[in-house]
Amino acid sequence: MDQQQLIELAFTAADNAYAPYSNYKVGACVLCKDGNHFLGANIENASFGATNCAERSAIFTAYSYGYRKEDIEALCIVSYGKKLAAPCGICRQVLCELLDHKTPIILSNKENTLVTNIDELLPMQFTDEDLG
Ligand code: THU
């Protein structure tokens, strides 16, 4: 699957977002090395704090199907915003644990695309190594 197809799949997830409070729809797609993929969308809640972001939805689903970081080729996160939707702080911490640190994270809106990774997005990481 090429990058454009991955972006389009992530936009199909964004279209399924449940975002009645922010009206800000985000989609994500985890592409696995065996060719399988898993979509995620942001799912909001009236209590706000119970909201799940798109990238967490997608990567939790991949893990639920038994995939692990070494099985993941790329993660794509898309939104319709003018700015690229960079993962929030909670998502960066989750991705730090569940993605290899050099795995491409592709951010895209309809105008721009940027490829990054968790080492760039989250410096001075707190990980399991800190727990001793
Ligand atoms: N959101 C995501 O799903 N991913 C991001 O990377 C940034 C924010 C969602 C959470 C909430 O539903 C909405 O966008 C506004 O914050």
Side-chain angles (χ1 to χ4, degrees), residues 3 6 41 57 69 91 101 110 112 114-115:
Q3 184 172 286
L6 188 56
S57 299
K69 58 175 78 175
C91 286
H101 289 187
K110 289 286 178 188
N112 297 300
L114 174 78
V115 183

Side-chain angles (χ1 to χ4, degrees), residues 22 24 26 42 44 51-55 77 85-88:
S22 71
Y24 185 78
V26 186
N42 54 325
E44 296 186 343
T51 291
N52 213 48
C53 289
E55 52 273 61
I77 306 165
C88 75

Side-chain angles (χ1 to χ4, degrees), residues 99-114:
L99 268 189
D100 277 336
H101 289 187
K102 302 295 181 199
T103 296
I105 299 176
I106 301 158
L107 307 178
S108 188
N109 56 15
K110 289 286 178 188
E111 284 165 14
N112 297 300
T113 297
L114 174 78

Side-chain angles (χ1 to χ4, degrees), residues 5-54:
Q5 289 172 306
L6 188 56
I7 290 169
E8 279 163 21
L9 276 171
F11 271 110
T12 66
D15 291 337
N16 289 326
Y18 174 74
Y21 306 106
S22 71
N23 287 316
Y24 185 78
K25 294 185 165 200
V26 186
C29 185
V30 171
L31 176 64
C32 297
K33 291 178 182 168
D34 67 2
N36 272 333
H37 69 270
F38 297 95
L39 301 182
N42 54 325
I43 309 296
E44 296 186 343
N45 189 276
S47 76
F48 292 6
T51 291
N52 213 48
C53 289

